[in-house]
């Protein structure tokens, strides 16, 4: 027998058949991107399968951070969760993705989303439609393969596009962030994976996974080829105040958005009337944009007291590592191919990840 000690990453890979794990670097609003470098190093040490970045303009540009993460890691996949087709010219998006893919020896995953019409109206970019998303995905893949693209349609007008120098690496997988049935169907028919939203219950994940796989089958695809990433907000081993900030405050940022909160409640089969109570909280009255862009963490935590407790505890992983593992198992049984841990950064996940590895040795 070898006397070589197992590393945490070896242990996590050993339990990958139970529940592969990924995690977000720099979750939420951050003033400084530099801590993401140490978080990437820790994600690799823990043996996480994928390191995700939720792109925000200003401090969380995916192209820049993917390059940085790729140079301090050698194994973990690096994923956008998410960027958007409209925010970069198609050639620039494909160029960024293929450059990062070459630098990381093929570890890039490109997650894209629809976002909301108000955002695109505000910045003067076209709204996303189902057809523009499908066409953009096709344009992206063709450019990454070195093909010449001529296109005039819902995704824009591009008389002559080509990447002159394409590295010899695979086209990065495209993952679509979806919540409702139309988006889930789109993912099943046209994408390599789907990224499910935080704060879905295991039963909501089960229904969502079934929709994705049925759409893939209808399109003549192998449903198993569409990877289902389930985002789970995690707080374990934290002080009560920090747990409240990680989970309750994050929940508020989603539920308070008009229209979006209703959709999230509908997918979970919850009574949307609870949203009126939340939005009447003094910290949220009259708020139109994202709460975390204009409210402090303490204010978001205070506002979270207006949410029904089950809206948090029934759709997140809380408490001891063992309790979190039980939640992970429920999501895995519901159809998750990989869990994307959110809220807590990789350097806060050691007890959960190491404990899961030990429990499955």
């Amino acid at each position: 027998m070898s006397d070589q000690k197992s590393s945490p990453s070896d242990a996590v890979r050993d339990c990958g058949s139970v529940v592969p794990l990924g995690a977000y670097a720099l979750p939420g609003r951050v003033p400084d991107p530099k801590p993401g470098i140490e978080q990437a190093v820790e994600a690799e040490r823990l043996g996480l399968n994928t390191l995700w970045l939720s792109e925000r303009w200003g401090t969380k540009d995916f192209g820049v951070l993917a390059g940085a993460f790729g140079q301090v890691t050698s194994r973990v996949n690096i994923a956008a969760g998410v960027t958007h087709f409209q925010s970069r010219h198609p050639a620039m998006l494909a160029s960024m993705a293929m450059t990062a893919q070459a630098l990381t020896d093929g570890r890039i995953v490109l997650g894209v989303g629809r976002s909301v019409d108000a955002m695109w109206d505000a910045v003067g970019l076209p709204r996303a439609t189902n057809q523009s998303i499908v066409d953009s995905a096709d344009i992206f893949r063709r450019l990454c393969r070195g093909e010449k693209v001529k296109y005039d349609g819902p995704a824009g007008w591009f008389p002559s596009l080509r990447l002159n120098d394409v590295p010899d690496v695979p086209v990065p997988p495209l993952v679509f962030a979806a919540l409702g049935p139309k988006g889930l169907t789109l993912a099943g028919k046209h994408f390599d994976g789907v990224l499910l939203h935080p704060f879905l219950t295991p039963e909501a994940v089960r229904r969502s996974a079934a929709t994705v796989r049925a759409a893939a089958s209808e399109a003549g695809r192998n449903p198993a080829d569409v990877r289902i990433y389930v985002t789970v907000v995690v707080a374990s081993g934290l002080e009560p105040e920090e747990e409240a900030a990680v989970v309750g405050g994050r929940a508020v940022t989603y539920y308070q958005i008009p229209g979006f909160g209703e959709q999230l409640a509908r997918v979970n089969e919850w009574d949307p009337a609870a949203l009126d109570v939340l939005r009447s909280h003094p910290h949220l009255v009259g708020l139109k944009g994202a709460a975390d862009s204009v409210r402090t963490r303490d204010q978001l935590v205070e506002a979270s007291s207006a949410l029904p407790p089950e809206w948090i505890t029934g759709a997140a992983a809380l408490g001891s590592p063992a309790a979190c593992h039980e939640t992970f198992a429920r999501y895995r049984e519901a159809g998750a191919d990989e869990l994307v841990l959110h809220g807590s950064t990789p350097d806060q996940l050691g007890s959960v990840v190491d404990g899961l590895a030990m429990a499955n040795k």
Side-chain angles (χ1 to χ4, degrees):
M1 279 180 72
S2 169
D3 60 357
Q4 184 178 6
K5 294 182 179 179
S6 297
S7 68
S9 59
D10 292 332
V12 173
R13 282 195 289 273
D14 287 344
C15 72
S17 61
V18 178
V19 56
L21 301 179
Y24 271 89
L26 303 171
R29 185 184 181 191
V30 298
D32 181 5
K34 290 191 291 294
I37 303 300
E38 293 182 3
Q39 292 169 18
V41 171
E42 183 64 8
E44 177 110 329
R45 188 194 73 80
L46 288 173
L48 297 179
N49 199 54
T50 311
L51 181 67
W52 294 77
L53 182 80
S54 178
E55 187 171 63
R56 287 198 184 200
W57 298 345
T59 54
K60 295 199 300 183
D61 183 280
F62 179 70
V64 175
L65 285 168
F69 293 166
Q71 298 313 293
V72 297
T73 61
S74 61
R75 184 197 57 80
V76 67
N77 293 323
I78 300 166
V82 296
T83 187
H84 303 90
F85 286 128
Q86 300 103 302
S87 59
R88 292 178 178 88
H89 185 279
M92 297 299 99
L93 181 64
S95 175
M96 178 201 74
M98 291 303 282
T99 301
Q101 188 78 319
L103 282 171
T104 60
D105 296 319
R107 292 186 283 132
I108 298 299
V109 178
L110 195 69
V112 295
R114 182 190 303 273
S115 195
V116 295
D117 290 345
M119 171 186 168
W120 301 121
D121 293 345
V123 300
L125 290 173
R127 298 179 178 186
T129 66
N130 285 352
Q131 194 58 55
S132 74
I133 290 168
V134 170
D135 289 359
S136 293
D138 180 62
I139 292 169
F140 172 83
R141 290 174 173 133
R142 291 176 61 194
L143 288 171
C144 289
R145 292 194 297 263
E147 298 177 19
K148 185 175 182 179
V149 174
K150 295 182 179 181
Y151 175 89
D152 185 5
W157 177 53
F158 308 114
S160 181
L161 298 182
R162 175 178 281 172
L163 301 185
N164 291 326
D165 301 301
V166 177
D168 186 18
V169 291
V171 176
L174 279 176
V175 174
F176 189 60
L179 181 58
K182 292 181 180 179
L184 296 169
T185 299
L186 202 70
K189 289 185 175 182
H190 301 284
F191 285 80
D192 304 301
V194 63
L195 179 63
L196 299 185
H197 201 275
F199 293 105
L200 294 188
T201 66
E203 281 306 309
V205 166
R206 189 186 311 279
R207 293 189 292 270
S208 298
T211 299
V212 171
R213 289 175 174 141
S217 181
E218 182 182 336
R221 307 177 68 196
N222 182 353
D225 290 342
V226 185
R227 191 166 182 82
I228 296 177
Y229 296 93
V230 176
T231 309
V232 182
V233 175
V234 177
S236 179
L238 305 179
E239 295 298 322
E241 296 80 8
E242 183 69 9
E243 181 175 295
V246 167
V247 183
R250 181 158 297 279
V252 168
T253 65
Y254 300 127
Y255 291 131
Q256 61 87 26
I257 300 174
F260 190 83
E262 281 79 1
Q263 188 176 18
L264 194 52
R266 185 164 53 250
V267 170
N268 281 326
E269 298 185 348
W270 289 334
D271 183 0
L275 295 170
D276 295 332
V277 178
L278 173 67
R279 292 166 183 161
S280 65
H281 189 279
H283 291 320
L284 302 177
V285 170
L287 196 63
K288 295 182 179 179
D292 65 349
S293 66
V294 293
R295 296 290 183 264
T296 66
R297 187 176 76 165
D298 289 344
Q299 289 172 328
L300 294 175
V301 170
E302 187 177 338
S304 70
S305 63
L307 285 168
E310 63 271 21
W311 284 33
I312 297 174
T313 59
L318 309 175
S320 68
C324 290
H325 300 164
E326 292 177 4
T327 300
F328 295 167
R330 287 195 290 272
Y331 280 110
R332 175 63 171 169
E333 192 276 331
D337 293 314
E338 182 171 331
L339 299 184
V340 182
L341 310 186
H342 205 356
S344 298
T345 52
D347 52 297
Q348 296 174 314
L349 291 170
S351 61
V352 172
V353 175
D354 289 345
L356 182 64
M358 294 304 295
N360 289 281
K361 270 191 167 182

